[in-house]
């Protein structure tokens, strides 16, 4: 059997950094939701699963899922939740992927 190697424009080191930033985003979301309360955390997880068949880790690549769920569940109150997530990610907001995530969850 012949295996074809696909060249990737992203180095192994960059892949590790992306995965680390993804983990930090998920931790910021989890920490914020748990600070609001366990019922909120579980409600958001359930709605992500029901509406998008996804988990918090999928929100890094699809921040609009989280934004939509927060908007549907909490309306204007979501602003406090997104502000808290932004606060946890503030030091990383110079990274393009993190900056884009913050912008999209704030829409």
């Amino acid at each position: 059997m012949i295996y074809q190697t696909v060249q990737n424009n992203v180095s192994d080191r960059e892949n590790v950094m992306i995965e680390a930033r993804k983990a930090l985003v998920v931790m910021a979301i989890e920490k914020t939701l748990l600070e609001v309360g366990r019922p909120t955390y579980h409600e958001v997880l359930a709605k992500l699963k029901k509406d998008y068949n996804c988990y918090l880790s999928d929100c890094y690549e699809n921040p609009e899922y989280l934004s939509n769920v927060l908007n549907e569940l909490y309306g204007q109150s979501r602003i406090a939740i997104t502000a808290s997530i932004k606060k946890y990610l503030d030091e990383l907001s110079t990274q393009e992927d993190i900056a884009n995530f913050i912008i999209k969850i704030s829409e």
Side-chain angles (χ1 to χ4, degrees):
M1 181 174 268
I2 299 173
Y3 293 96
Q4 185 177 24
T5 303
V6 177
Q7 290 296 330
N8 191 340
N9 291 333
V10 180
S11 69
D12 288 341
R13 184 175 185 277
E14 183 61 21
N15 280 332
V16 169
M17 296 304 293
I18 290 168
E19 288 302 312
R21 289 193 301 268
K22 180 178 180 177
L24 290 170
V25 165
V26 172
M27 287 174 38
I29 297 167
E30 286 181 332
K31 184 163 178 52
T32 296
L33 294 175
L34 287 169
E35 284 174 350
V36 174
R38 281 197 178 277
T40 299
Y41 174 79
H42 291 293
E43 190 174 32
V44 169
L45 290 182
K47 187 134 180 80
L48 282 169
K49 182 68 174 161
K50 178 181 174 243
D51 292 359
Y52 300 101
N53 194 32
C54 75
Y55 302 96
L56 285 180
S57 58
D58 299 306
C59 293
Y60 174 80
E61 285 97 6
N62 301 289
E64 65 277 3
Y65 295 173
L66 180 63
S67 179
N68 292 340
V69 165
L70 293 175
N71 189 42
E72 288 176 29
L73 291 175
Y74 307 110
Q76 286 298 108
S77 298
R78 80 183 187 290
I79 294 169
I81 295 171
T82 57
S84 180
I85 294 168
K86 283 192 257 184
K87 180 185 77 175
Y88 288 118
L89 298 174
D90 188 49
E91 289 181 25
L92 298 170
S93 64
T94 58
Q95 300 292 322
E96 185 178 356
D97 54 341
I98 301 291
N100 288 335
F101 174 84
I102 291 169
I103 289 167
K104 288 183 180 179
I105 65 166
S106 301
E107 294 176 342

